[in-house]
Amino acid sequence: MLSHPTHDRLIALGLVGMAKAFEEQRAQPAVASLTGLLVDREAVERQSKRLVTRLKFANLRQNATVEDLNTKAARGLDKALFAKLATGDWIGRRQDLLITGKTGTGKSWLACALGHKACRDDRSVLYYRVPRLLDALALARGDGRYTRLLKSFARVELLVLDDWGLAPLTSQQGRDLLEIVDDRHGRGSTIVTSQLPVDHWHEVIVDPTIADAVLDRLVHTAHRLALDGETLRKPAEKSGKRGRLDSDAAE
């Protein structure tokens, strides 16, 4: 007897006994059809729970999705490249992505949207703003969690490092960053967002030797989205209320 999609799905769900029972019931179309519907519902429910778990762990800064991208915004976004990035193939190939542009051009939004899509594709994702990441590593070094924390960064399939280059990095912070990118080089994908053009990233790390090592692993083979134009953040209303952000305007 040829394999049936419902039988295969039961096996994938780990329900071997039900798979055997389904094969026995296939001679009764009505019973088999009802079983198929129940299995489909179980598969959808499990997928939904996995997504919730993935998103909770990722801790993305913004609730952004690739479907909500504002394609009319004048900011120089390479839409064809972004569409390719949204497929997630580059994550499977363990490649990196650098997103640069002025404040308000939507760098963080784009990064979070791609992170959200990766979670939907059942990939592990973790988001950190670089200043808080460096603070977390400094604390971990003091209480003995440093190695364990580095391992957690190395394991995820996609690491999002937001707000790179807001301030110069000390030698120790540069070494921390090198540990992360070295562990992930060729083993996982990383998104880095920054207000600084990539040509100025070397200046952010005080130690030039460490800067060379970090950029060698992170920059040369990465995809790049360079955004331009004015901020997408809408100005506050005259009433004094805080201005509303476009769907993909937030940093």
Side-chain angles (χ1 to χ4, degrees):
M1 184 179 292
L2 294 176
S3 179
H4 190 280
T6 298
H7 175 272
D8 294 341
R9 180 162 283 185
L10 284 166
I11 294 297
L13 293 172
L15 303 174
V16 179
M18 288 185 65
K20 292 179 179 178
F22 176 77
E23 285 299 298
E24 296 170 358
Q25 295 171 357
R26 282 180 63 182
Q28 306 175 52
V31 175
S33 177
L34 177 59
T35 302
L37 291 174
L38 292 173
V39 172
D40 289 344
R41 179 61 181 269
E42 176 66 19
V44 170
E45 188 71 17
R46 291 192 185 188
Q47 184 178 19
S48 178
K49 287 182 178 179
R50 283 199 304 271
L51 177 57
V52 170
T53 301
R54 292 287 195 198
L55 290 172
K56 184 177 181 180
F57 177 79
N59 196 29
L60 297 171
R61 181 179 180 181
Q62 298 182 41
N63 183 23
T65 64
V66 294
E67 292 81 6
D68 289 336
L69 174 67
N70 180 3
T71 58
K72 296 180 180 179
R75 52 169 167 201
L77 175 66
D78 186 335
K79 299 180 181 64
L81 174 57
F82 186 79
K84 290 181 180 180
L85 293 170
T87 66
D89 290 344
W90 62 286
I91 302 175
R93 294 193 294 270
R94 298 175 179 84
Q95 298 172 342
D96 301 321
L97 170 63
L98 315 179
I99 306 177
T100 57
K102 299 177 183 177
T103 299
T105 50
K107 301 182 298 297
S108 296
W109 194 97
L110 294 174
C112 288
L114 291 171
H116 187 278
K117 179 58 166 57
C119 288
R120 285 157 52 191
D121 292 339
D122 206 22
R123 299 183 188 276
S124 56
V125 179
L126 184 60
Y127 169 96
Y128 257 100
R129 290 185 63 249
V130 172
R132 292 187 180 179
L133 170 71
L134 296 173
D135 288 345
L137 287 170
L139 288 173
R141 192 182 301 105
D143 60 21
R145 293 180 298 108
Y146 184 76
T147 301
R148 187 164 70 250
L149 190 57
L150 287 178
K151 287 181 178 179
S152 70
F153 296 144
R155 282 196 298 264
V156 295
E157 293 174 83
L158 176 62
L159 177 64
V160 181
L161 299 180
D162 201 6
D163 287 336
W164 155 267
L166 292 181
L169 304 185
T170 65
S171 294
Q172 182 58 62
Q173 290 173 331
R175 286 192 291 271
D176 288 341
L177 189 61
L178 177 58
E179 290 289 342
I180 293 172
V181 298
D182 187 60
D183 285 346
R184 298 186 56 75
H185 186 59
R187 302 181 184 92
S189 295
T190 305
I191 297 178
V192 182
T193 77
S194 178
Q195 296 180 32
L196 293 176
V198 175
D199 292 344
H200 293 277
W201 285 15
H202 196 282
E203 304 165 12
V204 174
I205 302 176
V206 173
D207 188 322
T209 303
I210 295 176
D212 287 341
V214 169
L215 299 187
D216 179 67
R217 290 160 176 77
L218 193 60
V219 171
H220 301 304
T221 60
H223 299 283
R224 299 191 190 188
L225 287 174
L227 308 181
D228 198 3
E230 299 301 320
T231 178
L232 300 181
R233 291 193 176 96
K234 292 188 174 182
E237 299 293 338
K238 292 182 179 180
S239 61
K241 294 181 179 180
R242 183 180 179 183
R244 182 178 64 83
L245 300 182
D246 282 347
S247 62
D248 58 334
E251 274 300 301

